[in-house]
Amino acid sequence: MTDIPRLTDAGRDLVEEHDEFQSRDEVLSLSSDLESYVHHVSVNDASTDLDALREAIERATAAFDTETATERSAMDSMLAPFVHRYYDIPPRIAGQIGVWQYLTLVEFPDYLVTRWLGHGGLKEKLLGEQKDLYSNQFARLWWGAHLTYDDDENHYFGAHKLFNKQRLANYVLDSEFRRCRPATLAFVEVLNAESGSTIDDVGSRFNQSLSTYQMEARTQRQFETQLENILSYVS
């Protein structure tokens, strides 16, 4: 059994009372107040290694210049597989926003400030919402890696492609097909080198077409063929 901590609703409400955070000290001061708002749940099929995750985060923040958009994307690309690997929890637990709020607000607030302060939406990335899990930074990285992980080949190439282009990551994690791994992998594979406008055009047509298919019955290659046809049409 592994105890998985999560921030309680009362802890979330305490953060919600704040306006958008303007400084590192604001976030770190609040973080120390939240330790008494943590609840633990015991999970059978889970394992976590916060020390290893902390080491990966320290390496990433030292390696990349967060004042540069492409380097912020590269940092996300590097960290997503580590978040997924070192916070190995089942999707039913990963679907609880409090799990990710604990990481952003109690364990790793300094990383969140480094990644997002001055670049828009720090409070959103600290909190996220139950109905929009992917707005929380750690949920975003974990789910992006989880949905693009290649079980057969045991690699995270899809996660690297996803997060190296923020427009692609944002589109996929907000899409209607985001919980269908073959569709997500296909979208990333076909569109990772395309412009933001092309991603939007192809994605819109792809989303519209999915209502006519049983997504669970289709393979990644079938989705790729469909996306390639749409890409040829809009190009």
Side-chain angles (χ1 to χ4, degrees):
M1 298 284 282
T2 300
D3 284 344
I4 304 297
R6 65 174 181 83
L7 191 69
T8 65
D9 290 347
R12 180 205 61 208
D13 292 343
L14 192 64
V15 181
E16 287 280 13
E17 292 173 2
H18 284 253
D19 295 328
E20 184 60 58
F21 295 98
Q22 302 297 325
S23 72
R24 186 178 301 271
D25 287 344
E26 273 188 277
V27 175
L28 299 186
S29 175
L30 177 62
S31 175
S32 63
D33 295 335
L34 292 173
E35 293 180 2
S36 59
Y37 294 90
V38 176
H39 172 76
H40 292 78
V41 59
S42 295
V43 181
N44 281 320
D45 47 344
S47 65
T48 64
D49 190 338
L50 286 175
D51 290 337
L53 181 55
R54 183 170 287 104
E55 182 179 342
I57 289 172
E58 289 172 354
R59 289 201 310 269
T61 53
F64 297 102
D65 177 8
T66 55
E67 296 305 310
T68 305
T70 54
E71 296 220 6
R72 293 195 298 273
S73 296
M75 182 192 292
D76 289 348
S77 173
M78 173 183 170
L79 281 177
F82 288 116
V83 173
H84 190 250
R85 182 181 305 161
Y86 295 138
Y87 225 68
D88 185 9
I89 58 178
R92 72 179 187 280
I93 301 299
Q96 300 176 24
I97 191 62
V99 168
W100 306 117
Q101 291 169 340
Y102 170 80
L103 289 184
T104 56
L105 285 157
V106 180
E107 284 289 345
F108 301 109
D110 198 55
Y111 155 64
L112 265 289
V113 175
T114 298
R115 171 63 178 84
W116 286 101
L117 183 64
H119 306 299
L122 173 57
K123 184 176 179 180
E124 177 188 29
K125 292 300 184 285
L126 285 163
L127 278 174
E129 299 178 12
Q130 185 63 51
K131 63 182 180 181
D132 184 16
L133 279 172
Y134 311 104
S135 57
N136 175 287
Q137 175 68 359
F138 275 104
R140 181 172 174 271
L141 295 178
W142 192 93
W143 278 105
H146 182 73
L147 292 169
T148 54
Y149 175 66
D150 190 316
D151 286 310
D152 295 331
E153 300 295 331
N154 189 28
H155 65 65
Y156 288 98
F157 295 160
H160 293 309
K161 291 178 180 178
L162 176 70
F163 285 109
N164 272 327
K165 185 184 286 288
Q166 287 300 308
R167 185 67 195 89
L168 181 63
N170 292 341
Y171 192 94
V172 168
L173 294 175
D174 283 338
S175 72
E176 296 177 11
F177 58 83
R178 62 181 179 257
R179 294 295 182 98
C180 177
R181 180 173 285 166
T184 297
L185 283 168
F187 198 90
V188 171
E189 184 62 33
V190 173
L191 293 164
N192 69 84
E194 301 298 330
S195 68
S197 60
T198 298
I199 290 169
D200 289 344
D201 287 347
V202 173
S204 176
R205 288 172 169 79
F206 184 55
N207 270 321
Q208 290 172 10
S209 72
L210 294 179
S211 62
T212 65
Y213 294 99
Q214 291 294 324
M215 293 177 62
E216 295 79 7
R218 304 183 71 206
T219 65
Q220 178 181 338
R221 185 58 207 148
Q222 288 174 320
F223 283 121
E224 287 177 359
T225 299
Q226 181 184 358
L227 285 161
E228 287 162 356
N229 290 338
I230 297 172
L231 181 59
S232 296
Y233 176 78
V234 303
S235 297

